[in-house]
Amino acid sequence: MAQSVGIKDVARVAGVSVGTVSNVINRPDSVASETRARVLSAIDRLGYVRSESARQLRAGRSRIMGLLVLDMGNPFFVDVARGAERAARDAGLGVMVCNSAQSAGEEADYLSLFAEQRVRGVLLTPADATGRNIETFRRNGIPFVLVDRVADGTTECSVSVDDVAGGALAVRHLVDAGHRSIAYVSGPPGLNQVSDRRAGALNALAEAGLPPSALRELPTERLDVAAGRDAGARLLGLAERPTAVFCANDLLALGVLQAMYAAGVGVPDDLAIVGYDDIEFAAAAAVPLTSVRQPAMTMGALAAELLLEETEAETASTPHEHQRVVLQPELVVRRSSLSAR
């Protein structure tokens, strides 16, 4: 195995001290141009790469930000990651992206990994509804910001979307189109987003003078296309089938759409469908999907900026003030919900 090239090797080849090499790497303006060129030439010849882990140990600060999301298979979280990565890169940091797969156990493992690596901070969409994982992680003293989740009962920053308002937008649209019996394909009941969107749906029904029974909930264990297909099959088996369905995210809605297409049920004429998130695939579906849009990239970028602000405040005279940022959703109407009742 070839030995790694160290800073002493660079100093020997360039004919300078180790301290001069360190200055060229970290404070190049402090070194004479001729000497700097000699050191850079030696670095290039030897293929020297500085040890970032050693640098971080000396500085006591990591250049890595952790991001833990529920499902990297969901394009919504990909966009959140893109927004966070852009803000982190502008600040000279990298992002370590991990996927809890909606599992409290995997979430705990990744939070432990972040603590071991002493990351600069963490952006977190919690999978554990009990909050135990967050409480355990908090003891490490590493700053974190909740993403796509309101920071109820915590002192940390959060960036989220008003999901109650989003659920109301979806169902109000369906009620205005004449629907009086609506299914809600809801996902795991322990997720706050799922319960908040349901609350908004019930608010819209109440505004229209309709009883809560007008909303038929079909829970699923996951928030993916396969779960949506399963919910669609259950919907088809109902003796009194609702005329519209609101899904807790677009992947579920696309699964329901697939199930309806396979069964020969017309969308939107026989069943109107509304999703949530407005991922890229929503507009590209066989029947373009009406969806409640979340500003995912903005959410990721704002969360990263809040985290950076908090970590920089550790060395500043002005203390950081935690913020709870709540963004507003927007309804994007497409063909999947445009039938008149």
Side-chain angles (χ1 to χ4, degrees):
M1 181 183 294
Q3 289 186 332
S4 61
V5 176
I7 193 170
K8 291 182 180 179
D9 299 306
V10 175
R12 176 177 49 78
V13 170
V16 298
S17 69
V18 170
T20 298
V21 177
S22 177
N23 284 337
V24 169
I25 294 170
N26 298 297
R27 295 179 296 279
D29 292 341
S30 68
V31 182
S33 58
E34 182 181 338
T35 304
R36 186 168 65 241
R38 199 161 71 246
V39 171
L40 291 174
S41 175
I43 287 173
D44 184 59
R45 256 187 8 246
L46 295 172
Y48 168 74
V49 178
R50 70 175 177 176
S51 171
E52 180 61 21
S53 59
R55 191 198 69 80
Q56 289 177 188
L57 282 172
R58 290 192 299 271
R61 292 172 68 82
S62 171
R63 294 180 60 244
I64 298 297
M65 177 187 299
L67 171 62
L68 182 57
V69 300
L70 290 177
D71 181 11
M72 281 305 293
N74 186 338
F76 166 75
F77 287 111
V78 174
D79 285 343
V80 169
R82 287 170 60 200
E85 189 273 337
R86 182 174 300 173
R89 186 179 64 232
D90 289 345
L93 302 183
V95 179
M96 180 193 298
V97 182
C98 298
N99 175 30
S100 71
Q102 302 174 41
S103 163
E106 292 191 36
E107 175 182 84
D109 290 342
Y110 280 122
L111 288 175
S112 178
L113 174 64
F114 289 152
E116 290 171 6
Q117 295 297 316
R118 303 304 300 176
V119 296
R120 176 75 64 94
V122 173
L123 307 178
L124 169 64
T125 302
D128 178 18
T130 69
R132 283 192 293 265
N133 286 342
I134 289 178
E135 186 57 40
T136 300
F137 183 72
R138 187 181 283 114
R139 297 170 193 158
N140 295 293
I142 298 174
F144 64 90
V145 174
L146 299 180
V147 185
D148 195 30
R149 181 69 55 84
V150 176
D152 287 330
T154 74
T155 59
E156 283 73 27
C157 290
S158 66
V159 181
S160 63
V161 166
D162 188 341
D163 283 320
V164 175
L169 281 175
V171 171
R172 191 179 295 123
H173 167 68
L174 293 171
V175 169
D176 288 346
H179 296 281
R180 297 296 179 266
S181 177
I182 300 168
Y184 176 43
V185 178
S186 61
L191 292 178
N192 287 11
Q193 297 93 324
V194 167
S195 58
D196 285 351
R197 291 165 197 178
R198 179 180 182 273
L202 292 173
N203 288 347
L205 292 177
E207 290 172 7
L210 296 172
S213 59
L215 190 72
R216 177 74 175 269
E217 186 166 2
L218 297 174
T220 63
E221 292 184 359
R222 301 189 63 79
L223 290 162
D224 55 24
V225 173
R229 284 195 297 266
D230 175 71
R234 283 184 281 152
L235 189 65
L236 290 168
L238 295 177
E240 296 183 9
R241 187 190 308 162
T243 60
V245 58
F246 166 44
C247 298
N249 77 357
D250 286 341
L251 296 182
L252 290 172
L254 291 172
V256 171
L257 179 61
Q258 288 180 7
M260 296 305 111
Y261 181 83
V265 174
V267 175
D269 293 334
D270 299 320
L271 182 76
I273 302 176
V274 176
Y276 205 104
D277 290 339
D278 195 34
I279 61 175
E280 184 177 355
F281 299 131
V287 180
L289 185 66
T290 294
S291 184
V292 178
R293 176 179 293 165
Q294 297 199 82
M297 287 187 65
T298 299
M299 194 182 306
L302 284 174
E305 288 166 6
L306 285 173
L307 186 60
L308 288 166
E309 181 183 300
E310 181 172 357
T311 59
E312 292 303 321
E314 294 172 356
T315 57
S317 57
T318 304
H320 171 75
E321 293 186 7
H322 291 301
Q323 299 179 49
R324 179 181 295 184
V325 179
V326 180
L327 305 174
Q328 291 303 308
E330 173 190 359
L331 182 70
V332 180
V333 178
R334 300 190 181 94
R335 191 155 60 90
S336 70
S337 65
L338 287 179
S339 64
R341 303 302 298 177

